[in-house]
């Protein structure tokens, strides 16, 4: 751990803006995304997932940017739940704390805004020694208030296996959002991020301002008798 990358315990309160693109994901895609993830391999069910590009203006470890992929839900035996398989952030403090507090498999990456207008932006994201990803997103329509309380608890709960434990986190959020669309993407095979080509985009949203709460995760041991945990 670098000096300054101290553990900042949950709960965290975060503010910022960003895109959420809901995807219908195949079981095969979920399996490919999680094949090398202990605790997720062999559990993929497909279904509703999401690609997110977020710019946190404020967090408990300062501002940072984030790209993440949830490739559907996973079967944990007692329940099915969403899990994030890839999450890249621009801050090493976010990496350290995301892993420790919520079992999130964060990796550090560089983020660059290539172009931005009032209704669209094009971004490049790259991990060290890897090919860059390019995303082109747009937004349109009026802003409407949204609150996570309108969603079932199961839809906003993450189940993240990390180093022999399961981290269960129920997220709370409120935002003013408008419709959004992923106009184009370039995700090379050697980027280290799964190519979402072939997964069907559904609803897209852009939150021009959101308030997000990540509470303390519920932690419990993974089933040591289940070979998928190793």
């Amino acid at each position: 751990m670098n000096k300054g990358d101290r553990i900042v315990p949950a709960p965290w309160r975060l503010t910022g803006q960003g895109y959420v693109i809901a995807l219908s994901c195949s079981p095969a895609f979920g399996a490919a995304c999680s094949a090398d993830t202990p605790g997720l391999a062999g559990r993929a069910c497909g279904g509703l997932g999401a690609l997110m590009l977020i710019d946190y203006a404020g967090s408990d470890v300062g501002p940072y940017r984030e790209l993440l992929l949830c490739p559907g839900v996973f079967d944990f035996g007692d329940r099915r739940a969403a899990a994030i398989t890839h999450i890249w952030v621009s801050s090493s403090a976010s990496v350290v704390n995301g892993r420790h507090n919520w079992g999130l498999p964060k990796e550090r990456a560089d983020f660059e805004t290539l172009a931005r207008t009032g209704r669209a932006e094009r971004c490049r994201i790259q991990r060290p020694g890897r090919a860059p990803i390019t995303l082109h997103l747009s937004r349109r329509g009026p802003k409407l208030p949204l609150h996570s309380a309108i969603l079932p608890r199961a839809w906003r709960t993450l189940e993240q296996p990390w180093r022999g434990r399961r981290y269960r986190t129920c997220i709370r959020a409120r935002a003013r959002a408008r419709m959004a669309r992923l106009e184009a993407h370039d995700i090379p095979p050697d980027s280290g991020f799964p190519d979402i080509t072939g997964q069907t985009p559904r609803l897209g949203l852009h939150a021009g301002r959101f308030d997000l709460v990540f509470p303390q995760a519920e932690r419990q041991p993974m089933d040591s008798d289940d070979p998928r945990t190793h």
Side-chain angles (χ1 to χ4, degrees), residues 1-228:
M1 184 184 306
N2 296 328
K3 184 178 179 180
D5 290 345
R6 60 187 177 88
I7 297 301
V8 182
W12 279 22
R13 289 170 172 81
L14 308 100
T15 60
Q17 64 90 25
Y19 293 88
V20 178
I21 307 298
L23 302 170
S24 287
C25 299
S26 69
F29 179 69
C33 292
S34 58
D36 298 325
T37 305
L40 287 183
R43 298 182 184 271
C45 302
L48 188 63
L51 178 76
M52 301 187 191
L53 181 64
I54 308 294
D55 189 347
Y56 292 106
S59 82
D60 290 59
V61 292
Y64 64 93
R65 301 181 75 177
E66 180 175 271
L67 172 69
L68 71 83
L69 176 66
C70 168
V73 299
F74 293 81
D75 184 358
F76 291 95
D78 60 335
R79 59 178 290 165
R80 289 187 175 187
I84 294 168
T85 59
H86 294 76
I87 177 167
W88 296 359
V89 295
S90 62
S91 158
S92 60
S94 177
V95 171
V96 169
N97 281 275
R99 294 175 177 182
H100 177 84
N101 288 328
W102 304 286
L104 294 167
K106 291 190 175 185
E107 302 287 350
R108 213 201 68 76
D110 295 319
F111 290 69
E112 181 183 2
T113 300
L114 301 175
R116 178 178 288 163
T117 66
R119 292 186 175 270
E121 61 187 281
R122 189 160 55 92
C123 297
R124 180 164 58 202
I125 308 100
Q126 184 174 17
R127 292 214 60 225
R130 297 280 195 166
I133 293 169
T134 304
L135 302 177
H136 181 195
L137 300 113
S138 66
R139 50 196 181 270
R140 65 190 185 280
K143 294 180 181 178
L144 299 173
L146 296 176
H147 199 291
S148 60
I150 67 174
L151 299 174
R153 183 181 178 89
W155 289 18
R156 48 193 175 90
T157 298
L158 294 174
E159 194 90 15
Q160 296 291 151
W162 182 256
R163 295 183 177 175
R165 291 182 175 181
R166 285 165 60 178
Y167 291 70
R168 183 176 297 170
T169 309
C170 185
I171 302 162
R172 304 193 306 272
R174 61 182 180 182
R176 291 187 62 81
R178 60 177 55 172
M179 302 300 292
R181 181 177 176 179
L182 179 62
E183 299 287 352
H185 64 276
D186 180 18
I187 305 178
D190 54 347
S191 66
F193 199 88
D195 187 354
I196 61 172
T197 301
Q199 312 314 302
T200 306
R202 298 299 185 186
L203 178 68
L205 294 174
H206 174 263
R209 161 77 186 197
F210 64 76
D211 293 278
L212 178 66
V213 176
F214 259 75
Q216 185 174 13
E218 300 174 23
R219 305 183 191 188
Q220 63 184 72
M222 295 290 291
D223 184 354
S224 59
D225 295 327
D226 188 336
R228 294 175 296 186

